[in-house]
């Protein structure tokens, strides 16, 4: 072997590396296609073609296309939700008995999604994937997302009730749903801003950078949580 020539990997190590590369390629390809077309529109054939793998690779590495889809969502959702819980824990610890302010709570819920820290430069694609996930008709995806967000929902509902004492607990449910709609639709529009029509010449939206988007979304959602119900309600 000449100096500087790479040392060949043992056969088992080379095989493991190739398998890992194929698995990651399948997940990357599935993520991209799911973000664009949803579960029904991203076929196994399209995923394997995009990944440069053979048609049986999905079953070999994941058992089924359905398992691959759930792995793709888990790869993005779980780190994001762990970050949310960690930030809320730290926020509540630093705030003391009175608890954190409403705007701080909302920001902890919003910021990890927008920043998409694990996305490696594919922030908008990840956002589209997340937004599509909540719109999916696929029962497996819906069930998975509901389970993944159960702890998040409970923790943030409890924090909001404490931060807004005048807000009836039964009202929190609806405001959490309104917040989810505003956040998911807002993320979808922001991620596809250049492709969105803006027909009203009197209302031309400004392009927002990441921080500007976070600040506006937090302000909007916090105002919604703090809003007083009409007397008739």
């Amino acid at each position: 072997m000449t100096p500087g020539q790479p040392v060949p990997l043992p056969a088992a190590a080379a095989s493991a590396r190739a398998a890992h590369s194929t698995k990651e390629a399948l997940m990357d390809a599935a993520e991209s296609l799911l973000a664009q077309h949803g579960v029904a529109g991203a076929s196994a054939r399209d995923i394997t073609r995009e990944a440069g793998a053979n048609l049986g690779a999905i079953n070999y590495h994941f058992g089924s296309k359905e398992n691959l889809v759930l792995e793709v969502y888990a790869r993005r959702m779980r780190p994001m939700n762990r970050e949310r819980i960690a930030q809320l824990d730290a926020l509540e610890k630093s705030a003391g008995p009175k608890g954190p302010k409403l705007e701080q709570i909302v920001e902890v819920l919003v910021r990890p999604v927008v920043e998409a820290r694990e996305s490696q430069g594919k922030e908008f694609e990840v956002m589209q994937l997340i937004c599509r996930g909540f719109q999916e008709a696929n029962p497996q995806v819906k069930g998975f997302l509901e389970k993944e967000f159960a702890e998040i929902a409970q923790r943030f509902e409890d924090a909001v009730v404490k931060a807004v004492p005048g807000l009836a607990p039964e009202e929190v449910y609806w405001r959490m749903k309104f917040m989810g709609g505003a956040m998911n639709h807002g993320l979808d529009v922001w991620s596809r801003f250049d492709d969105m029509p803006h027909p009203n010449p009197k209302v031309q939206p400004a392009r927002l950078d990441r921080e500007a988007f976070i600040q506006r979304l937090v302000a909007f959602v916090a105002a919604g949580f703090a809003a007083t119900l009409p007397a008739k309600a």
Side-chain angles (χ1 to χ4, degrees), residues 28-39 41-42 50 125 128-129 132 192:
D28 290 343
E31 180 174 284
S32 179
L33 292 170
L34 289 169
Q36 296 175 57
H37 309 295
V39 175
E50 181 79 10
E125 189 171 281
Q128 288 179 341
L129 177 75
R132 274 197 177 273
R192 298 188 296 114

Side-chain angles (χ1 to χ4, degrees), residues 31-186:
E31 180 174 284
S32 179
L33 292 170
L34 289 169
Q36 296 175 57
H37 309 295
V39 175
S43 70
R45 187 176 299 277
D46 290 339
I47 292 169
T48 51
R49 185 191 305 115
E50 181 79 10
N54 64 63
L55 193 56
I58 291 177
N59 285 339
Y60 177 79
H61 288 284
F62 299 96
S64 66
K65 175 195 162 184
E66 289 73 21
N67 289 342
L68 167 59
V69 169
L70 297 184
E71 286 280 348
V72 168
Y73 274 101
R75 181 172 70 161
R76 295 306 183 191
M77 297 296 189
R78 286 175 179 166
M80 181 183 71
N81 284 341
R82 284 196 298 267
E83 179 67 16
R84 285 167 150 174
I85 293 294
Q87 288 189 23
L88 183 58
D89 286 341
L91 187 61
E92 290 179 333
K93 184 177 180 180
S94 64
K98 291 184 177 180
K101 295 180 180 179
L102 178 59
E103 291 79 6
Q104 294 175 309
I105 297 167
V106 174
E107 183 171 348
V108 163
L109 190 63
V110 167
R111 183 173 290 276
V113 186
V114 181
E115 290 185 340
R117 292 182 177 180
E118 300 293 326
S119 61
Q120 298 177 348
K122 297 194 296 181
E123 290 91 344
F124 293 151
E125 189 171 281
V126 173
M127 288 175 198
Q128 288 179 341
L129 177 75
I130 293 170
C131 293
R132 274 197 177 273
F134 288 101
Q135 300 164 8
E136 275 292 347
N138 183 286
Q140 287 182 296
V141 172
K142 289 179 73 69
F144 172 81
L145 292 177
E146 287 172 3
K147 183 178 179 181
E148 288 296 309
F149 281 92
E151 181 184 3
I152 294 290
Q154 183 176 343
R155 286 290 307 276
F156 279 89
E157 286 172 358
D158 292 344
V160 167
V161 168
K162 189 173 182 179
V164 191
L167 184 63
E170 61 269 20
E171 183 66 18
V172 174
Y173 170 87
W174 283 110
R175 299 198 184 195
M176 287 287 287
K177 296 299 182 185
F178 297 154
M179 178 198 67
M183 185 162 64
N184 289 323
H185 184 63

Side-chain angles (χ1 to χ4, degrees), residues 228-233:
T228 303
L229 275 175
K232 290 183 180 180

Side-chain angles (χ1 to χ4, degrees), residues 7-31:
V7 178
L9 288 171
S15 177
R17 175 178 287 185
H20 177 75
S21 297
T22 301
K23 188 173 182 178
E24 288 296 311
L26 288 168
M27 293 182 73
D28 290 343
E31 180 174 284

